[in-house]
Amino acid sequence: MRLLHTSDWHLGRSFHRVALLDAQAAFLDHLVATVREREVDAVLVAGDVYDRAVPPLTAVELFDTALHRLADAGVPTVMISGNHDSARRLGVAAGLIGRAGIHLRTDPAGIGTPVVLPDAHGDVALYGLPYLEPVLVREQFAAEKAAHESVLGAAMDRVRADLATRPDGTRSVVLAHAFVAGGEASDSERDITVGGVAAVPAGVFDGVDYVALGHLHGSQTLTPRIRYSGSPLAYSFSETTHRKTMWLIELGPDGAIDTAERIDCPVPRPLARLRGRLDDLLADPGLARHEEAWVEATLTDPVRPAEPMARLTERFPHTLHLVFDPERTDDEPLVSYATRLRDRSDRQIAEDFVAHVRGGAGPDGVERAVLHGAFDAVRVDATEREVSDR
């Protein structure tokens, strides 16, 4: 069975205030064309269809058009909600849409009920695990604690229990939206850390033939059977080196992954990260290849130059982001606030603040738990607001 694995469309998202709807439409054109040209048997969309819980109407219209085109192609599609989606909104009319072969899996209660697709070698059971906010689903799954590993483990227990009731030789596929250990994050994913822990071990998914992951925006192979497709477009300059693709997976008669091919996605405009003094960036002939790219420029001039953005855009008209990181000598240890915070999570910043006001002593175990609990409560409250009827 030939499966096309994609995720993290983030319909409605922009890139540094540049609208991406046309680029997202071009990707969906490419997706449908690939489905037809490569004779795909099923499409897997592993969450974050939209960029926010209440997407703009233009994004909803684009999604609606995509569903109609996939249904017209006669190719079953299994789609789960991610942490950016409102599961309840995305799942509206799921039963009716399912009759057209578009299977929306947004309700945690349905995790143990797969979409079953037959081929010449038997059945393939496809299980959709929507993003599971631990605090909100812990009781429903009777999980040991409100943590990603516990609730995903309980969800997978339901998958394995259902799979055990099916005929011998039934192959299995799981779609999940999670941060799995070994994956590499980028700047554009929303933090899903709970209690200081974001990642779950890959062993949670033991017992199934293929795991189609979403959440991380870089295409990655954790094991031959566990893969991230990544986002089809770059959503931050941290993705400058990413090759944006979908996975075309050949699931063999015995459940083995016969082939795994990366299908390139259309690139609306390349990305470039430039660093140096302004005059050097403007004069360097080696940078000519970036003149039509979306550019993030980090200026290292000791003194901020006059009108830097205006001068940069004369050569690099698509400069979107400007950073100042002045060169300093050893006797000038001052580091900018932005530099000090770079690559640090909100929790780490809060712990650093405690250490700062105390003159060096960071939070102890109890205080750290209080801080983590506060961050978790804020995120859960935001999630509850997104999925409520208000």
Side-chain angles (χ1 to χ4, degrees):
M1 184 169 287
R2 187 171 293 174
L3 309 172
L4 186 63
H5 167 198
T6 177
S7 73
D8 295 274
W9 295 354
H10 289 278
L11 300 180
R13 188 164 185 159
S14 60
F15 184 76
H16 289 271
R17 299 178 301 281
V18 174
L20 291 178
L21 201 67
D22 287 346
Q24 291 170 336
F27 159 69
L28 292 172
D29 288 344
H30 173 66
L31 171 71
V32 174
T34 301
V35 165
R36 294 181 181 277
E37 293 167 7
R38 302 301 297 269
E39 299 181 341
V40 169
D41 295 305
V43 176
L44 314 178
V45 186
D48 281 353
V49 173
Y50 292 120
D51 190 55
R52 56 182 185 267
V54 184
L57 181 58
T58 51
V60 177
E61 291 171 339
L62 184 58
F63 176 63
D64 180 63
T65 300
L67 294 191
H68 278 84
R69 295 175 69 188
L70 288 168
D72 289 344
V75 176
T77 298
V78 182
M79 183 178 297
I80 62 173
S81 49
N83 61 300
H84 279 248
D85 299 308
S86 167
R88 291 179 65 181
R89 289 189 177 91
L90 185 62
V92 168
L96 184 61
I97 295 171
R99 298 179 188 176
I102 308 295
H103 305 280
L104 300 173
R105 292 295 187 258
T106 64
D107 185 352
I111 279 174
T113 304
V115 176
V116 179
L117 302 179
D119 69 5
H121 308 287
D123 288 342
V124 177
L126 298 98
Y127 298 88
L129 279 59
Y131 171 70
L132 302 172
E133 179 59 56
V135 172
L136 299 183
V137 300
R138 176 188 180 185
E139 292 185 4
Q140 180 178 352
F141 285 96
E144 181 180 348
K145 55 184 179 179
H148 288 295
E149 182 175 356
S150 293
V151 298
L152 267 175
M156 283 301 301
D157 286 343
R158 294 190 181 188
V159 168
R160 285 184 283 263
D162 178 83
L163 193 57
T165 68
R166 300 195 173 272
D168 291 344
T170 298
R171 290 155 289 165
S172 54
V173 174
V174 164
L175 290 78
H177 196 86
F179 191 161
V180 179
E184 183 177 346
S186 59
D187 292 344
S188 55
E189 298 115 6
R190 183 183 295 174
D191 183 20
I192 60 171
T193 301
V194 173
V197 178
V200 300
V204 164
F205 298 104
D206 285 351
V208 296
D209 295 315
Y210 183 67
V211 181
L213 292 175
H215 179 58
L216 300 184
H217 289 180
S219 178
Q220 301 170 60
T221 301
L222 305 186
T223 77
R225 295 181 182 273
I226 304 177
R227 300 170 188 262
Y228 283 99
S229 66
S231 60
L233 299 171
Y235 293 117
S236 73
F237 278 103
S238 66
E239 300 166 59
T240 299
T241 60
H242 287 190
R243 175 187 166 197
K244 295 300 184 180
T245 59
M246 302 177 285
W247 283 110
L248 187 63
I249 301 295
E250 292 273 5
L251 190 65
D254 58 354
I257 307 301
D258 286 350
T259 62
E261 178 185 352
R262 292 178 70 182
I263 306 295
D264 288 293
C265 297
V267 178
R269 192 177 295 278
L271 306 184
R273 275 181 150 170
L274 309 183
R275 181 182 180 86
R277 296 192 179 199
L278 178 57
D279 288 342
D280 294 337
L281 297 181
L282 296 178
D284 187 350
L287 300 181
R289 67 186 186 278
H290 300 308
E291 290 175 357
E292 294 304 316
W294 279 324
V295 168
E296 177 189 71
T298 299
L299 301 185
T300 61
D301 301 71
V303 177
R304 183 177 299 213
E307 299 183 335
M309 182 62 87
R311 294 171 62 191
L312 272 170
T313 54
E314 287 182 3
R315 183 179 187 191
F316 306 103
H318 304 288
T319 301
L320 300 181
H321 191 213
L322 191 56
V323 180
F324 293 96
D325 187 16
E327 299 168 351
R328 298 186 183 278
T329 61
D330 292 340
D331 59 351
E332 294 180 297
L334 181 63
V335 178
S336 72
Y337 182 70
T339 300
R340 293 201 305 273
L341 299 188
R342 188 178 299 154
D343 300 325
R344 301 190 67 74
S345 69
D346 290 342
R347 290 168 175 76
Q348 291 171 322
I349 292 169
E351 292 177 16
D352 289 348
F353 175 76
V354 173
H356 171 72
V357 298
R358 285 179 173 169
D364 60 24
V366 173
E367 292 167 332
R368 186 174 290 107
V370 170
L371 284 172
H372 290 177
F375 280 107
D376 291 346
V378 169
R379 193 194 64 259
V380 169
D381 180 67
T383 301
E384 288 177 324
R385 289 175 182 274
E386 288 182 352
V387 302
S388 72
D389 290 329
R390 293 194 296 273

